[in-house]
Amino acid sequence: MDISIIIPTFNEGKNVQVITERLKEALLPLNRSFDIYFMDDSTDRTPDRLSELAAQYAFVHFIHRTGNRGLAKAVVEGLQLASGKIVIVMDADLQHPPELIPEIIDKIESGYEMVIPSRFVPGGSDGGLNGYRRFISWTGRMLARLALKRIRGVSDPTSGYFAVRKTVIAGKTFHPIGWKVMLELIVRAHIDKIAEIPYRFDARSHGSSKMNAAESLKYVLHLFRLVWASEEDRRFYLFCMVGLSGVAVNLAVYQLLLAGHVHVLLAFIVSSLVSMLGNFFLNQFFTWKMRPPTNAFAWMPRLIKYVIVSCSGIGVSSAIVSLVHYFFHFSPILSGILGIVGGVFWNFLLNDRWTFNARKTNVLSEVHLLEESQTVIHHVKK
Ligand code: GDD
Ligand code: MN
């Protein structure tokens, strides 16, 4: 099969016929084989409409699901069933225009792994949502882009309309919670060649949206899970946790030495060195997941770099503290906090790029706008 369309449905009896007709019109001229999978969780008579459609058209399949309901789960089940080389996911309610499909196919065939019709590139619009939904939706997009590097260059990461090349996701496992299955695919399948094409998201023709507050909460939970699942994204948080554990180690050793009547300054220096060494090993094996060294001292050059970074971090923090305290007259406490925060970022970045030399492959780095086609292309820096 060349193209499989996956459509999740929940009580969409009035829409399924129309979308099938419009899909047929959009797909027939392409001269490719195609089929449609309706992944249905409806509680009304939608399954009756769907079985009529399946009887009418050989290319229509529908799965009425009873257990394990939910939008993203329905789509993931559809992804497993669909045999198309290109898989397109879209809603049943015609807010996602089937007429974009030729352009979508074109982009995928020109080499992109994923194509996202976007409401937020020039030429697109988001007329289908009211002001409140728009605000929630904006917040959701910003959160995703803050939390996940791979999403940073995507203008419409919460889109429910997208196409993906099957080979890119084959053999991978997905377990999204809530709605945003596309985020799940991009992060877990390490997708990075993404094109976005503009479209107008208009009001629904029939029925009403199933989006609600519980789904928004699940979305935040989903983001947490994705950050945790994504090595490049969770690193910073692991680094902060190691840093905090280092403070505890430092204080504990300091206490011990003081109890052993070691002089205060000496005790402080020794406990600081011990915690720095501990942090180094924790970061090496845990945060940056370096493989155990092949020879006993392979970690030495890294340790030296780490110490240099840590010392430069003290310099950077001190510079920040002096700047905000003496020039901007911030209170000592606030200045100290800013200094620590600045130092943490400095240390993290230097250790990431230099000490542990985390390769920056597969991260979207530039977004270019092609004037003529109005297509946003994400260039990948290797
Ligand atoms: N199988 C299944 N199970 N389908 C569901 C479920 C469910 O629990 N809940 C909703 N759907 C189906 C609907 O029938 C519809 O086809 C599609 O999922 C989207 O639901 P809507 O209720 O129409 O969502 P929306 O219009 O508010 O938002 C949609 O478009 C946005 C812009 O692309 C969603 O796709 C959003 O995720 C997306 O951001
Ligand atoms: Mn909709």
Side-chain angles (χ1 to χ4, degrees), residues 224-243:
F224 272 106
R225 287 208 348 198
L226 285 179
V227 168
W228 191 244
S230 158
E231 216 174 286
E232 64 191 13
D233 292 305
R234 75 177 165 213
R235 225 170 245 153
F236 177 71
Y237 306 98
L238 288 177
F239 181 76
C240 292
M241 276 156 64
V242 168

Side-chain angles (χ1 to χ4, degrees), residues 20-207:
T20 304
E21 304 289 350
R22 276 176 61 183
L23 277 170
K24 197 183 84 184
E25 269 162 47
L27 283 156
L28 277 179
L30 294 179
N31 278 321
R32 307 275 206 295
S33 56
F34 65 88
D35 54 7
I36 305 176
Y37 290 85
F38 285 99
M39 306 304 297
D40 183 53
D41 287 343
S42 297
T43 50
D44 65 358
R45 307 282 306 272
T46 306
D48 298 344
R49 300 284 89 75
L50 287 173
S51 59
E52 285 163 24
L53 271 175
Q56 186 181 353
Y57 296 116
F59 59 81
V60 171
H61 309 277
F62 86 96
I63 284 82
H64 182 66
R65 298 153 23 94
T66 41
N68 207 17
R69 295 213 185 141
L71 175 48
K73 292 198 179 90
V75 172
V76 167
E77 199 183 318
L79 290 173
Q80 285 154 359
L81 288 174
S83 60
K85 292 192 203 90
I86 299 171
V87 182
I88 301 176
V89 177
M90 65 194 299
D91 294 347
D93 55 6
L94 300 162
Q95 286 183 296
H96 296 157
E99 290 69 30
L100 291 180
I101 288 180
E103 197 182 345
I104 292 176
I105 302 295
D106 211 54
K107 283 277 168 309
I108 294 268
E109 291 182 342
S110 71
Y112 291 98
E113 296 170 325
M114 178 177 264
V115 176
I116 309 174
S118 166
R119 296 164 281 181
F120 310 107
V121 291
S125 83
D126 190 20
L129 295 180
N130 62 34
Y132 172 70
R133 265 291 303 270
R134 244 184 249 193
F135 173 70
I136 298 287
S137 167
W138 179 85
T139 312
R141 288 194 303 279
M142 289 308 129
L143 283 180
R145 289 158 76 171
L146 265 177
L148 301 158
K149 275 197 184 126
R150 212 168 274 281
I151 302 302
R152 226 150 273 168
V154 178
S155 76
D156 199 352
T158 57
S159 173
Y161 193 6
F162 62 91
V164 64
R165 214 183 304 154
K166 187 68 190 265
T167 50
V168 174
I169 53 168
K172 306 255 166 47
T173 43
F174 303 106
H175 18 86
I177 35 178
W179 278 41
K180 305 306 177 186
V181 68
M182 189 181 80
L183 278 180
E184 176 87 5
L185 299 193
I186 295 177
V187 173
R188 290 199 200 260
H190 305 288
I191 295 177
D192 46 34
K193 286 169 137 183
I194 302 173
E196 295 191 291
I197 57 178
Y199 83 105
R200 283 171 55 105
F201 184 78
D202 287 326
R204 247 175 185 271
S205 44
H206 292 284

Side-chain angles (χ1 to χ4, degrees), residues 292-337:
T294 40
N295 75 64
F297 295 103
W299 46 268
M300 276 301 266
R302 284 203 285 268
L303 176 61
I304 293 167
K305 287 180 178 174
Y306 188 85
V307 173
I308 295 173
V309 170
S310 302
C311 294
S312 75
I314 296 174
V316 167
S317 301
S318 314
I320 294 175
V321 172
S322 338
L323 185 77
V324 295
H325 182 62
Y326 295 111
F327 282 91
F328 298 108
H329 308 291
F330 282 30
S331 71
I333 273 290
L334 190 57
S335 307
I337 291 174

